[in-house]
Amino acid sequence: MRTVKHLPNGIERETDLVKFPDSTVVNETENNEGTPVVREIYGDVLTNLYKILRLTKETANGFEDNEVNGYQLVNALRKFTNELNDIEQQLNLTGTQFSINIDLSILPNKYVCFARAVETYVSSTVYTFKGTNSDVFPFSAPVPFKSGDVVLVIIDTSGVRAYSIVPSAAVSIPKEIYTPLGLPVAFNNSDKIWYQEEGYFLSDQPESHDLQAAIRFAASDGTLLVYEMLVVNSFVYCLVFAPNTLAYSIHRFSLTDLSSPSLVNITGESFPIGVDRRPNIYTDGETLYITNQTGNSDSDFVLSKYTFDHILGTLTAVGSISLDSSFAKSTNCVVKNNLLFELINGQLNKYDLGTGVKTPGSFFAGNVGLLFNYKNNFYYTNGEVGKLWNLN
């Protein structure tokens, strides 16, 4: 396609290529001839518009478009399709990297398209995802898909996700989960049931990893304490406290390397130093919430909100929410669909993370147990079995 910039030298045009990279037309004045109405400028524009009409079978009727006669180009654009998400793409696999024939750099974050999987997704494998450009992102499928399945792909820079939309991938949600090793982590979207206990990260494989010791060694500080662990998109995020400086931080491990922690960089509101308000962390896998305004406020009910970037290992502040002032923070909270549920002293409460409004729920007299989110479903356990709870 030709632009005004391609006109021969000597023909008047806009010269400010910072504001107009392809140049543009200038008006005729007493001292300036202006840009001529020539084929080189308007021909490509018109022929492209006419092509859109033909592609959508909108035959030019020979009348001027207006409010009375209608707008044929507008009608055509309403029917126009594109080759990104209006056709079925192919989801290929090379090694442990799924790929699609689209340049991801031209897409908005969280772009959605459909694709047919060439290979089967194996839950125990850690995958990445890329397009035709150089960007590479983490890749996961909450419900594993099979070769030949049609999947909905959400191209999120913090972690690309794929959801099968065919019956072959449908699996029933387990009503019970065995939890013999103690306290499952509050959020876990991996395939294993993971537990935390005194700085250790455990599974039923069986396996045990001393994350607290690894963080202490990496930070050269033998006093550090791991208060909370969350498993999000193939990483373990740990809330860490330094007693000597009264400072909090967040470290993370890849599930493929549970001996090498890295410090998570927090952009925006960060933890204070020299004061311990004992903040708690919660997540729905998309957003991380930190109570007490990330430790900067005495008010437990003020939650700071952050988005993950799993590629860079960062958290970026995106605002805050004040819950009902009666909110009593605890580690027994789960989050889903912009709702926070808390079970404290047998009382179940729900908080809207958009408005902060509290809705009291049922009271479970004499029952002391733990809520946890496993693969985006809520479970309750007070022993060796986690029971599915339908909270909404």
Side-chain angles (χ1 to χ4, degrees):
M1 188 173 196
R2 294 167 294 186
T3 69
V4 177
K5 187 170 63 174
H6 294 126
L7 287 172
N9 292 333
I11 295 181
E12 293 294 337
R13 77 198 90 177
E14 176 61 57
T15 58
D16 187 347
L17 298 184
V18 174
K19 292 177 64 176
F20 304 98
D22 297 302
S23 189
T24 189
V25 298
V26 295
N27 287 330
E28 179 183 3
T29 67
E30 292 182 1
N31 301 316
N32 191 326
E33 293 184 354
T35 308
V37 178
V38 293
R39 178 174 179 171
E40 286 81 359
I41 295 177
Y42 299 104
D44 284 349
V45 175
L46 292 174
T47 55
N48 273 276
L49 294 178
Y50 299 156
K51 179 66 172 179
I52 291 174
L53 292 178
R54 293 200 306 276
L55 287 173
T56 56
K57 297 183 179 180
E58 187 79 19
T59 303
N61 57 24
F63 297 106
E64 180 184 39
D65 281 2
N66 53 44
E67 291 294 324
V68 176
N69 296 332
Y71 297 93
Q72 287 195 281
L73 180 60
V74 171
N75 292 339
L77 292 174
R78 286 172 173 166
K79 296 184 289 184
F80 203 61
T81 60
N82 66 75
E83 296 182 357
L84 292 181
N85 60 358
D86 289 336
I87 63 173
E88 181 183 278
Q89 302 293 331
Q90 183 167 293
L91 185 61
N92 298 304
L93 178 63
T94 303
T96 58
Q97 186 170 83
F98 280 96
S99 63
I100 200 167
N101 190 33
I102 295 178
D103 184 347
L104 306 185
S105 67
I106 67 173
L107 304 178
N109 193 30
K110 299 187 178 179
Y111 184 84
V112 175
C113 66
F114 292 98
R116 186 173 295 275
V118 174
E119 301 289 345
T120 296
Y121 180 95
V122 179
S123 299
S124 59
T125 303
V126 177
Y127 294 101
T128 56
F129 181 93
K130 75 180 299 293
T132 57
N133 59 314
S134 60
D135 295 332
V136 177
F137 305 114
F139 180 78
S140 64
V143 177
F145 54 78
K146 298 179 181 178
S147 174
D149 284 357
V150 176
V151 297
L152 175 68
V153 181
I154 302 175
I155 304 175
D156 188 336
T157 55
S158 65
V160 177
R161 307 182 300 282
Y163 299 90
S164 179
I165 59 174
V166 296
S168 64
V171 295
S172 59
I173 299 173
K175 303 297 183 183
E176 295 182 344
I177 294 177
Y178 292 100
T179 57
L181 293 185
L183 302 176
V185 296
F187 183 90
N188 178 8
N189 58 8
S190 73
D191 290 312
K192 295 180 185 178
I193 301 293
W194 289 101
Y195 308 81
Q196 67 174 84
E197 189 68 39
E198 296 182 353
Y200 281 85
F201 188 56
L202 320 166
S203 87
D204 299 330
Q205 289 298 307
E207 59 187 305
S208 174
H209 308 272
D210 192 347
L211 302 191
Q212 182 171 272
I215 293 173
R216 286 176 171 180
F217 179 79
S220 300
D221 186 345
T223 69
L224 297 180
L225 300 171
V226 173
Y227 280 164
E228 190 71 19
M229 300 178 187
L230 304 170
V231 181
V232 186
N233 281 35
S234 302
F235 292 95
V236 191
Y237 287 83
C238 303
L239 178 65
V240 179
F241 177 61
N244 290 338
T245 58
L246 298 181
Y248 285 84
S249 57
I250 294 178
H251 298 247
R252 73 169 188 170
F253 296 79
S254 169
L255 288 178
T256 61
D257 184 2
L258 291 168
S259 61
S260 303
S262 60
L263 180 67
V264 174
N265 181 52
I266 299 178
T267 301
E269 190 149 37
S270 58
F271 292 106
I273 297 175
V275 58
D276 182 13
R277 295 187 173 95
R278 299 189 66 85
N280 291 337
I281 59 174
Y282 315 121
T283 190
D284 58 1
E286 300 277 340
T287 304
L288 183 76
Y289 299 89
I290 307 180
T291 68
N292 298 87
Q293 198 176 335
T294 314
N296 293 283
S297 170
D298 290 323
S299 299
D300 297 345
F301 57 84
V302 180
L303 276 58
S304 298
K305 300 164 57 177
Y306 299 84
T307 56
F308 294 95
D309 187 323
H310 300 295
I311 296 293
L312 298 178
T314 62
L315 288 168
T316 301
V318 292
S320 63
I321 175 68
S322 292
L323 303 181
D324 185 276
S325 59
S326 64
F327 174 72
K329 70 180 178 188
S330 75
T331 57
N332 204 6
C333 291
V334 289
V335 180
K336 180 182 176 182
N337 296 334
N338 215 36
L339 297 173
L340 182 148
F341 294 89
E342 179 178 52
L343 183 63
I344 184 166
N345 298 324
Q347 176 64 50
L348 180 67
N349 293 314
K350 176 175 70 175
Y351 297 87
D352 189 312
L353 289 170
T355 64
V357 172
K358 172 184 177 180
T359 304
S362 302
F363 178 67
F364 300 91
N367 287 277
V368 178
L370 176 74
L371 290 178
F372 62 98
N373 185 325
Y374 176 63
K375 289 189 173 181
N376 215 30
N377 294 295
F378 295 141
Y379 290 87
Y380 167 87
T381 181
N382 62 2
E384 296 185 354
V385 178
K387 298 287 292 185
L388 180 67
W389 274 23
N390 295 314
L391 302 179
N392 50 57

